[in-house]
Amino acid sequence: MASLAIANNPDIRFLGRLLGDVIRAYGGEELFKRIEYIRATSVDRHRGVAGAEAIDPGLDRLSLDETIDFTRGFMLFSMLANLAEDRQGVTSEQDTDFAAALARLEGHGIGREAVMALLDHALVVPVLTAHPTEVRRKSMIDHKNRIAELMALKDLGLDETEDGDKIDEAILRQIALLWQTRVLRREKLGVPDEVETALSYLRDVFLPVLPALYARWDRALGERLPSFLRAGSWIGGDRDGNPFVTADSLRLALARAGEAVLSYYLDAVHALGAELSISTEHAEVDEAVLKLAEASHDTGRSRADEPYRRALSGIYARLSATHEKLAGKPPARPAPIPAEPYAHPGELREELAAIARGLAAQGGGALSSGGALGRLIRAVEAFGFHLATLDMRQNSAVHERVVAELLKAGGVCDDYAALAEEERIALLRRELASPRLLTSPYASYSEETASELAIMHAAAEAHARYGRQCITHYIVSMAQSVSDLLEVHVLLKEAGLYLPGEQPQAHVMAIPLFETIADLEGAPAIMEAWLGLPEVAAIAAGRGHQEVMIGYSDSNKDGGYLTSTWQLSRGSTALKPVFEKADLAMQLFHGRGGAVGRGGGSSFAAILAQPPGTVQGRIRITEQGEVIAAKYGTRESAMTNLEAMASATLIASLEPEQLAPADSERFAAAMDRLSDTAFHAYRDLVYGTEGFTRYFRQATPIAEIAGLKIGSRPASRKKSDAIEDLRAIPWVFSWAQARVMLPGWYGVGAAIEAFEDKGLLREMASAWPFFRATLDNMEQVLAKSDMGIAQHYAALVEDAALRDAIFGRIRSGWQATHDGLLTVTRQTRLLEKHPALDTSIRLRLPYIEPLNLLQVELLKRHRRGEDDPRIGEGILLSINAIATALRNSG
């Protein structure tokens, strides 16, 4: 048997052959032959080899132990295939780099001055979140990344590593380690685990990558850009539905991030000290550098004539003191001389800049071209002492209860919940105008209220400790009124983060999250009323912008793919005149997930598809689950994806509108009709069909997914089986496992069928970036779904009549969507116009089908009550393997 791989990609063939060698060596020849037979049979069926359908795949002859080993083998192949494709750029897009964006804008007559003017007030932030769709342990990801590093050495034509190891043998060893590494977590992830996982990406990838990207962009633009691209995180501050996030979580997340970034600066300064050996015997030295050298108290005789080294000794000593102050302990390499800590990152930046100016003053600036010093200065600008800005988030219902309790305990209002909205607004504004606090050390509060107040005080401590940039946003989930936002200000005021007065100040911005279809429709009215409050208007004017978050996941679960996508676009468009009237910049925060049903897909295409005038150089986007590892798992992939995000923001902000106003009106009217039909079709199935919830829970592994220890957050918001209460993440994840992927397409087929003017739809697909991106993402979902496999999952439904009725509707809906898409896009088959993606998905399908079939059989046995622990382990491994093979499925 040659190998586990069959593909045109040479990396996949190479890695697949090594994986086969590892399975043979560690699992035995018999296991290898069984796995290889199943693989070859499945590949033949998918390639249409004559007679292949009649061949017994041999799945039923696997023992439970062999089933587990087989599942691990197919999962590892998919992981290695992902790595190979990422290296070859199979899944990346063309012309998404900064230079291409500049050239594209120049083609429209938009020059570098306009770009710089935009970047002066721009902000682009990927925000890492801890939503539970990353099913792989960090140990697995680390081994994969080491293989990627070794493959990069092979690309350079090297045979050996720096340590003298043969590269091919080193890769084989890493694959062997993968084979012998436990895939599943034994303990459920806690918030500290999620903090550490996110920290590994921020520390090991974002810290070195962002300064390198800025250096590249500075060269492309011919001048130094503002530090507009930064990192954000929710992990440790997102309390919505997660009782395990507390004030201690917030402190832990910030402390670990601060320690990491300061350690990075210390190492960088230490390396600079070794490099800058400039002597006063051979160079004139700027006065500012000499002052830094004298202030350092570095009296080493060997450095007496080396002012740059002495200056850097002083900087290192101050950083060391800052580390001890913020992290509560000295760094790994403490400074030998005492020093005062930096009060804020700006002090550190200014001292580094003084050294840079000193270097630039001599030799025609030969030493001032950037290099390590330039990258360090850029890092200080982008990361400060906090590394990533941490968002706080909580549900509006919690705020309402907490504020009601505070008002009652403070003798202000006995029943806040009974007040009408206008009465609530008036009461809250009076409280915000008063310097008096509601809390009292003599009052006792409920556990919920005490926890929320502790979070506020922890945020205030963080501002004093790390600077205000460490926490700048407070997301209000399920925001449905102005009072929902005012309540946050009341709570911030209790910790000194909202200051009343003639010129009120809010050191943390209250941000509404509009999630459901109704919320999105009501967003403009709420924002107009919010920005119309004089104190809010004054605060926003001082800041220059106001953020609004729009949620993709819950709007999809609420109204289906097409309606969610359109209402998000409609909502963004409707907000634009509200902000124009307020003379305020609008900053949208897109709550996207990995799967298309949760806003997934190409970030580049998604940003370009935003309505005209809604980006304005400012955008934040959540990065969730397995998408974090896929996009930021290596420095190379991070550079590609971060650059694409920045480039798309430039283009979306500055490129002239592509559609004529008349076409925009025609297309929007058509989308209204499509959305209305799709919405009713989706709602009728999911919420209007008796027994649908029972079907969903039996025809997908939703119950078993709870056994995957992949996140600290509960799967449902309440103790309820209702789909309304289920979080959108497991909703989408479950349908993906069953290969239905219903949230990514259902209702669209009915909408296209009912729309008579197919020519107009073809025109929209060709000329309108929004509609094109919508169809492209859906097409990918349809290509990964499989109604034949889905039927095996439907067989798990106990009620035959219910099963046949609902699955029949799903299957006919899929066919209508498939046929409608091909009609609108003028294709004869899915992904005909996307050959690279087509090849990628076709490669994976033979490896996913056996996993699905095994999962179904294991689910049957599990649900019959068989208690062999290997059955449960096999189910969880299959969930892991299928998610790895499907990629953006969570």
Side-chain angles (χ1 to χ4, degrees):
M1 300 293 175
S3 76
L4 278 172
I6 180 166
N8 293 325
N9 188 314
D11 285 353
I12 296 180
R13 288 200 302 272
F14 170 70
L15 294 171
R17 177 176 59 78
L18 293 184
L19 176 59
D21 292 343
V22 165
I23 292 175
R24 184 187 286 109
Y26 289 89
E29 188 67 31
E30 186 61 30
L31 175 65
F32 174 78
K33 287 181 178 178
R34 283 181 182 269
I35 293 178
E36 177 61 16
Y37 176 78
I38 295 169
R39 182 205 68 79
T41 303
S42 185
V43 168
D44 285 346
R45 281 201 306 278
H46 279 268
R47 294 171 71 188
V49 174
E53 289 296 330
I55 298 174
D56 178 5
L59 290 171
D60 57 350
R61 290 190 292 279
L62 293 174
S63 67
L64 280 175
D65 287 334
E66 289 172 333
T67 294
I68 290 172
D69 286 338
F70 162 80
T71 305
R72 286 197 302 129
F74 269 38
M75 183 209 66
L76 291 180
F77 173 78
S78 296
M79 180 185 288
L80 295 172
N82 293 349
L83 183 156
E85 289 186 347
D86 289 342
R87 279 174 35 77
Q88 299 293 330
V90 170
T91 55
S92 63
E93 299 158 280
Q94 300 299 313
D95 297 327
T96 61
D97 59 278
F98 204 77
L102 294 177
R104 178 168 170 171
L105 292 172
E106 285 175 355
H108 292 288
I110 299 167
R112 308 295 170 95
E113 289 184 3
V115 171
M116 286 299 297
L118 177 79
L119 294 180
D120 278 340
H121 65 267
L123 181 71
V124 178
V125 182
V127 181
L128 307 189
T129 79
H131 286 295
T133 57
E134 172 53 84
V135 292
R136 294 168 296 177
R137 290 177 64 215
K138 184 66 168 56
S139 298
M140 304 287 289
I141 297 171
D142 289 343
H143 287 307
K144 186 206 77 168
N145 289 345
R146 179 56 183 156
I147 294 170
E149 292 170 3
L150 292 166
M151 294 292 287
L153 295 179
K154 275 179 69 74
D155 294 340
L156 298 174
L158 302 177
D159 294 325
E160 294 183 354
T161 67
E162 289 184 356
D163 299 323
D165 293 333
K166 287 288 187 182
I167 290 176
D168 286 4
E169 293 175 3
I171 294 172
L172 181 69
R173 280 196 295 274
Q174 290 297 318
I175 294 175
L177 287 169
L178 275 172
W179 176 253
Q180 296 180 96
T181 296
R182 173 168 46 84
V183 176
L184 300 175
R185 297 184 181 95
R186 297 299 184 216
E187 303 294 332
K188 185 175 179 64
L189 274 182
V191 177
D193 302 307
E194 293 170 336
V195 167
E196 290 302 316
T197 298
L199 183 63
S200 68
Y201 292 104
L202 292 167
R203 178 190 60 229
D204 301 337
V205 177
F206 279 77
L207 259 173
V209 161
L210 276 187
L213 270 178
Y214 279 116
R216 178 191 296 176
W217 297 342
D218 290 346
R219 290 192 297 270
L221 205 54
E223 55 185 304
R224 194 175 191 275
L225 279 66
S227 297
F228 68 96
L229 177 62
R230 304 185 179 217
S233 174
W234 273 13
I235 304 168
D238 177 14
R239 313 188 303 291
D240 182 18
N242 192 342
F244 306 111
V245 175
T246 64
D248 286 340
S249 303
L250 190 79
R251 292 188 184 98
L252 174 68
L254 290 167
R256 294 290 293 124
E259 182 180 352
V261 74
L262 286 167
S263 296
Y264 178 86
Y265 296 159
L266 284 162
D267 289 344
V269 171
H270 181 75
L272 278 171
E275 179 183 341
L276 295 182
S277 55
I278 298 169
S279 169
T280 52
E281 295 181 9
H282 302 293
E284 292 184 17
V285 179
D286 187 79
E287 185 65 27
V289 177
L290 292 173
K291 285 183 179 179
L292 284 174
E294 289 304 312
S296 72
H297 303 295
D298 181 355
T299 58
R301 295 178 60 187
S302 64
R303 294 182 295 278
D305 66 328
E306 296 173 340
Y308 285 94
R309 279 182 166 167
R310 290 165 56 216
L312 287 165
S313 291
I315 291 173
Y316 188 94
R318 294 194 70 184
L319 272 172
S320 181
T322 307
H323 185 287
E324 187 156 5
K325 174 187 173 184
L326 298 186
K329 59 183 179 182
R333 188 193 299 115
I337 51 179
E340 288 295 314
Y342 288 109
H344 53 80
E347 284 189 343
L348 169 60
R349 188 205 177 280
E350 181 51 39
E351 291 189 354
L352 293 171
I355 291 177
R357 289 192 293 269
L359 293 171
Q362 300 295 320
L367 294 176
S368 65
S369 58
L373 177 58
R375 291 191 296 273
L376 177 56
I377 292 171
R378 182 66 81 172
V380 174
E381 289 179 3
F383 300 108
F385 291 160
H386 61 282
L387 183 56
T389 298
L390 182 64
D391 286 4
M392 301 168 71
R393 183 169 80 129
Q394 183 56 284
N395 195 287
S396 61
V398 175
H399 299 144
E400 180 182 327
R401 292 194 296 269
V402 170
V403 168
E405 184 175 345
L406 293 178
L407 291 169
K408 185 174 183 179
V412 177
C413 178
D414 284 340
D415 193 358
Y416 172 74
L419 299 180
E421 173 65 6
E422 294 79 7
E423 295 172 312
R424 290 188 181 192
I425 292 173
L427 172 59
L428 296 173
R429 291 183 67 197
R430 285 197 299 272
E431 286 302 315
L432 289 170
S434 168
R436 172 185 52 81
L437 297 180
L438 286 170
T439 50
S440 166
Y442 306 107
S444 60
Y445 301 104
S446 66
E447 183 179 346
E448 180 178 63
T449 295
S451 176
E452 291 302 304
L453 291 172
I455 284 273
M456 296 299 175
H457 285 288
E461 293 168 16
H463 273 210
R465 196 174 186 85
Y466 304 100
R468 290 184 186 173
Q469 283 302 307
C470 70
I471 300 173
T472 57
H473 304 92
Y474 193 119
I475 313 297
V476 184
S477 298
M478 302 302 292
Q480 298 172 336
S481 65
V482 169
S483 63
D484 287 340
L485 300 175
L486 287 171
E487 286 161 5
V488 173
H489 277 179
V490 168
L491 296 176
L492 291 171
K493 176 171 170 269
E494 293 301 306
L497 294 173
Y498 181 97
L499 305 177
E502 289 187 16
Q503 291 294 325
Q505 300 175 51
H507 296 162
V508 177
M509 185 186 346
I511 298 165
L513 167 51
F514 300 114
E515 300 176 83
T516 67
I517 301 300
D519 291 345
L520 290 166
E521 291 173 343
I526 291 173
M527 292 311 299
E528 184 169 13
W530 173 245
L531 296 175
L533 298 177
E535 61 271 40
V536 171
I539 292 168
R543 189 187 297 120
H545 69 278
Q546 167 70 45
E547 181 169 285
V548 174
M549 185 174 185
I550 51 178
Y552 289 67
S553 302
D554 283 295
S555 63
N556 176 282
K557 184 162 70 72
D558 182 41
Y561 173 63
L562 195 68
T563 300
S564 167
T565 305
W566 179 232
Q567 286 300 327
L568 288 162
S569 179
R570 272 286 205 201
S572 302
T573 302
L575 285 168
K576 184 170 174 275
V578 173
F579 279 78
E580 289 173 346
K581 179 181 177 182
D583 193 24
L584 197 64
M586 177 171 69
Q587 179 172 299
L588 290 180
F589 185 11
H590 297 262
R592 306 174 79 227
V596 166
R598 296 182 48 243
S602 161
S603 295
F604 185 82
I607 294 172
L608 292 189
Q610 293 306 305
T614 61
V615 177
Q616 303 174 2
R618 306 186 69 91
I619 191 167
R620 297 204 304 148
I621 300 175
T622 54
E623 301 285 23
Q624 303 181 359
E626 82 281 6
V627 172
I628 295 175
K631 294 174 71 170
Y632 308 113
T634 66
R635 295 182 184 184
E636 292 74 17
S637 62
M639 289 191 79
T640 298
N641 285 289
L642 290 170
E643 185 160 28
M645 188 182 296
S647 300
T649 302
L650 276 186
I651 296 169
S653 302
L654 294 174
E655 190 173 58
E657 165 60 10
Q658 298 180 29
L659 292 178
D663 289 336
S664 294
E665 290 181 13
R666 286 192 305 128
F667 293 171
M671 274 303 305
D672 284 338
R673 290 167 54 195
L674 288 168
S675 172
D676 185 63
T677 306
F679 176 79
H680 285 97
Y682 174 85
R683 294 284 303 185
D684 184 57
L685 174 71
V686 174
Y687 298 103
T689 301
E690 186 177 352
F692 183 83
T693 300
R694 185 156 39 102
Y695 176 94
F696 163 66
R697 292 195 172 274
Q698 293 182 10
T700 74
I702 176 63
E704 290 75 13
I705 284 171
L708 269 178
K709 298 173 175 62
I710 55 178
S712 63
R713 186 187 304 275
S716 289
R717 289 187 170 91
K718 304 175 184 176
K719 291 183 178 180
S720 161
D721 284 342
I723 291 172
E724 292 90 337
D725 297 327
L726 181 70
R727 290 196 172 276
I729 297 158
W731 162 257
V732 172
F733 197 50
S734 302
W735 286 115
Q737 286 285 312
R739 301 292 297 286
V740 180
M741 301 189 172
L742 182 139
W745 57 266
Y746 194 84
V748 182
I752 295 175
E753 272 188 343
F755 199 91
E756 295 181 0
D757 190 351
K758 301 297 192 292
L760 174 57
L761 298 184
R762 293 190 188 99
E763 185 183 352
M764 290 162 59
S766 174
W768 193 14
F770 165 80
F771 196 54
R772 183 164 59 247
T774 301
L775 294 182
D776 283 349
N777 287 334
M778 187 180 73
E779 186 174 4
Q780 180 186 149
V781 170
L782 291 173
K784 291 182 178 180
S785 60
D786 188 316
M787 289 300 106
I789 296 295
Q791 189 164 13
H792 288 278
Y793 284 87
L796 295 169
V797 178
E798 296 169 357
D799 185 331
L802 178 69
R803 173 182 67 228
D804 293 343
I806 292 183
F807 182 71
R809 290 177 65 182
I810 291 174
R811 181 169 50 194
S812 62
W814 184 93
Q815 194 64 52
T817 305
H818 170 275
D819 295 348
L821 176 82
L822 296 185
T823 297
V824 171
T825 59
R826 295 186 176 93
Q827 296 180 109
T828 60
R829 58 178 176 79
L830 294 176
L831 299 177
E832 183 179 352
K833 295 180 180 178
H834 305 278
L837 183 57
D838 183 41
T839 300
S840 169
I841 292 176
R842 286 177 183 272
L843 165 69
R844 293 162 193 283
L845 294 179
Y847 295 85
I848 306 175
E849 179 180 306
L851 293 169
N852 285 123
L853 297 176
L854 276 175
Q855 186 182 89
V856 169
E857 292 306 310
L858 291 169
L859 288 171
K860 287 179 183 177
R861 296 176 65 172
H862 174 67
R863 293 176 182 182
R864 283 200 302 262
E866 294 188 36
D867 58 2
D868 190 313
R870 291 173 296 179
I871 293 174
E873 183 178 1
I875 291 171
L876 299 185
L877 276 171
S878 68
I879 292 171
N880 192 305
I882 291 167
T884 301
L886 289 173
R887 301 201 85 167
N888 54 342
S889 62

